[in-house]
Amino acid sequence: MSFDFDEIDAVINARSLAIVGASGKPQKFGSLFTASQLIYGFDGPVYLVNPGETEIMGRKAYPDLKSLPQPPELVCITIPAHRCMAVLRECAEVGVKGVIIMASGFRETGEGGEALEKEAVRLARASGFRIIGPNCFGVYNPRNRLTLLPGYDFSTSPGKVAFISQSGGFSVHVGRLCRGLGIDFSAIVSYGNGADLDESDFLLYFAHDPRTETIAAYLEGVKDGRRFLDALREAASRKTVILWKVGKSEPSRRAVISHTGSLAGSYAVWKGVMRQCGVIEASGVDEICDVLLALKHLGRNPGRRLMLCGGGGGLGTYAADLAEEERLEVPPLEGESWARLREVLDQPGAAVGNPLDIGAPLIPLPLFEASLREAANFPHADMLLFDMALNFAYGLGGEEALEQAMDILLRIKEKSGKPLVMVLYSRAEGLEDLAFEELLRRFKWKLLQGGIPVYPSISRALRAISLVNK
């Protein structure tokens, strides 16, 4: 079916919603989604449909779609697969614009489920509404306060990133992790089997969506290879696209078929397609989030030349090795930059160069600021990366000194005009060290709000920098 922006937009930005299978019984699947959506607060009428209930969670329940005060634009079906066709026929009768089928039990289960899925799509296309799913968690859209399962605690702030996922679980993981990183979304779509609207449709939709600047996707397989390639090319020509493709191994490909009934295809072909289209290839939830964080604060192609700083010679040597593995550059510190840093950082344990060893995780604050200011001004580096083990530094200055160190890093970033990347972590593992987790999260958020991306390890930071430079 050809791409129609307005049809998809009417589903994602629906203004009225009905939940079929809504329930007040905690053990029911429909109860989980109903609670999530009511807590999140859809910006429009929400109708709860269940013929066996008269009231659900303090709201009136209706026996069917035909008894609603008005036809809903979007219907979320949370009942088992074998009962879905009767509801879809009702959707056709009342004239809805879109349907989300959450239940599994379709193509991924074999011939019987595949026949049921095809029947659902035929009815939808004959009746003029679109389907997301089946076997999915739905749509998260902070603009109309539509959420997926169980996205009751998602951010309510609209952003410029879209995430498309065949996996419901990964759609939730990415949404929640990114909330803690200050990354907001234009929408997240969990589309499962993609029986009607599929990966190509959503790529094209977000490519044309003026509210979206970056598109990230988790894919297991595609329905139409040629159409997908065309959609990917168009999307990558308009927006930054990040793609996580699974199904590289034979066991993984078998799992893909049992999960969403998709064909994974040859990874070598996929890799060539991604390279040809200029897509950023990522692997795993953490890497998706790391790349989105780098894009937010560094942009695309920020440069490969790094000034590496921290407290410890071994740390710098390790970081330099990792940088080379990621095809990043660590240019030698020489000339006036070397002389100025040598003059400023005249203390035991320090080693002036690139990497720069300041001698300890935290040194006297005036010296800390002066040395990092000089490091940031090194003209042959595109960005400054600073590494700090929080609990080590705490032992040398306490919480007040750490707070001041964070302020210094923010000042250096602002005054130098050069990107600063922070690696902030704790080597405290015991139960008695839990207080460091609170400090870590507080300081991390402070730096993120000030425009400094924060990573939990050097390897993840360098990997993210490398990927956004491809």
Side-chain angles (χ1 to χ4, degrees):
M1 192 169 182
S2 61
F3 165 70
D4 188 314
F5 180 90
D6 292 334
E7 283 186 343
I8 301 173
D9 196 60
V11 179
I12 291 177
N13 289 293
R15 294 168 296 181
S16 56
L17 171 68
I19 303 173
V20 175
S23 174
K25 299 173 183 177
Q27 69 272 23
K28 296 284 189 178
F29 184 78
S31 174
L32 297 174
F33 179 70
T34 303
S36 294
Q37 188 59 74
L38 293 181
I39 292 169
Y40 193 65
F42 182 74
D43 185 19
V46 179
Y47 303 113
L48 308 183
V49 178
N50 187 327
E53 305 274 357
T54 56
E55 184 179 291
I56 298 171
M57 299 182 190
R59 289 175 174 246
K60 180 180 179 179
Y62 297 85
D64 51 39
L65 292 175
K66 289 180 284 187
S67 63
L68 300 182
Q70 65 180 34
E73 292 188 350
L74 177 62
V75 174
C76 291
I77 303 178
T78 68
I79 58 178
H82 68 276
R83 293 170 52 200
C84 284
M85 283 309 302
V87 177
L88 289 174
R89 283 189 279 272
E90 265 197 281
C91 290
E93 288 180 40
V94 302
V96 307
K97 294 183 178 180
V99 174
I100 298 173
I101 304 177
M102 293 186 165
S104 57
F106 290 86
R107 184 177 71 220
E108 76 283 1
T109 61
E111 290 183 6
E114 183 175 12
L116 184 62
E117 186 171 299
K118 287 180 178 178
E119 184 182 355
V121 174
R122 278 196 297 270
L123 176 60
R125 292 183 177 175
S127 306
F129 64 85
R130 305 308 302 263
I131 294 175
I132 295 178
N135 188 20
C136 72
F137 277 10
V139 174
Y140 158 64
N141 178 357
R143 289 183 305 277
N144 65 353
R145 301 295 282 272
L146 175 66
T147 199
L148 42 70
L149 175 75
Y152 63 90
D153 56 352
F154 275 28
S155 170
T156 58
S157 300
K160 298 179 180 180
V161 177
F163 182 50
I164 306 164
S165 178
Q166 272 185 282
S167 161
F170 286 146
S171 66
V172 175
H173 293 333
V174 168
R176 283 195 171 140
L177 285 172
C178 283
R179 179 180 183 180
L181 297 172
I183 297 168
D184 290 315
F185 290 87
S186 55
I188 296 177
V189 179
S190 158
Y191 68 95
N193 293 9
D196 177 28
L197 293 172
D198 60 21
E199 56 284 334
S200 299
D201 293 301
F202 293 119
L203 269 176
L204 289 170
Y205 172 77
F206 289 116
H208 290 268
D209 177 26
R211 295 158 295 218
T212 298
E213 292 181 357
T214 301
I215 305 168
Y218 164 84
L219 295 184
E220 296 177 357
V222 298
K223 190 160 57 179
D224 182 332
R226 171 51 58 186
R227 183 168 183 254
F228 175 78
L229 179 57
D230 291 341
L232 187 63
R233 281 194 182 117
E234 181 169 350
S237 72
R238 293 170 173 266
K239 311 285 169 79
T240 295
V241 178
I242 309 158
L243 186 55
W244 171 20
K245 172 67 177 70
V246 297
K248 300 177 185 179
S249 65
E250 182 55 35
S252 175
R253 285 190 285 273
R254 290 198 302 270
V256 163
I257 293 172
S258 65
H259 183 210
T260 56
S262 300
L263 296 176
S266 164
Y267 176 65
V269 172
W270 273 94
K271 195 169 184 67
V273 165
M274 286 187 276
R275 186 183 300 113
Q276 182 186 95
C277 294
V279 169
I280 297 173
E281 182 185 5
S283 181
V285 168
D286 288 340
E287 199 160 275
I288 286 274
C289 295
D290 288 349
V291 171
L292 289 173
L293 184 62
L295 287 170
K296 176 176 180 176
H297 295 288
L298 307 177
R300 191 76 190 266
N301 298 313
R304 296 181 171 275
R305 303 175 302 169
L306 308 179
M307 180 70 192
L308 301 175
C309 307
L315 198 63
T317 304
Y318 172 60
D321 281 347
L322 289 177
E324 184 172 322
E325 289 175 13
E326 294 292 350
R327 294 184 297 168
L328 300 170
E329 301 173 31
V330 184
L333 187 70
E334 54 192 10
E336 292 183 11
S337 295
W338 180 87
R340 285 195 300 269
L341 259 170
R342 182 71 175 172
E343 182 179 348
V344 168
L345 198 56
D346 183 16
Q347 79 158 30
V352 175
N354 188 14
L356 173 68
D357 177 5
I358 64 173
L362 196 60
I363 56 178
L365 292 170
L367 192 58
F368 179 78
E369 183 163 8
S371 58
L372 289 189
R373 188 188 307 116
E374 291 295 343
N377 289 331
F378 179 41
H380 300 298
D382 299 307
M383 69 188 72
L384 176 69
L385 185 149
F386 186 76
D387 180 285
M388 179 184 285
L390 190 69
N391 56 313
F392 290 174
Y394 182 90
L396 296 172
E399 185 175 341
E400 184 179 352
L402 280 170
E403 188 83 51
Q404 292 178 43
M406 301 303 143
D407 290 335
I408 287 169
L409 290 166
L410 290 167
R411 280 201 302 272
I412 287 169
K413 187 259 179 187
E414 182 180 356
K415 290 180 180 179
S416 70
K418 184 172 288 186
L420 198 158
V421 177
M422 187 73 181
V423 178
L424 188 65
Y425 52 92
S426 170
R427 292 291 187 229
E429 297 294 334
L431 289 174
E432 68 277 10
D433 298 316
L434 283 175
F436 287 115
E437 283 301 312
E438 190 276 333
L439 278 180
L440 180 64
R441 294 178 190 211
R442 179 153 57 84
F443 290 145
K444 174 182 174 181
W445 188 249
K446 180 173 185 172
L447 294 170
L448 289 171
Q449 292 297 98
I452 298 177
V454 181
Y455 292 93
S457 69
I458 292 175
S459 58
R460 283 178 60 174
L462 294 175
R463 178 66 176 160
I465 294 167
S466 175
L467 287 172
V468 297
N469 272 293
K470 291 182 178 178

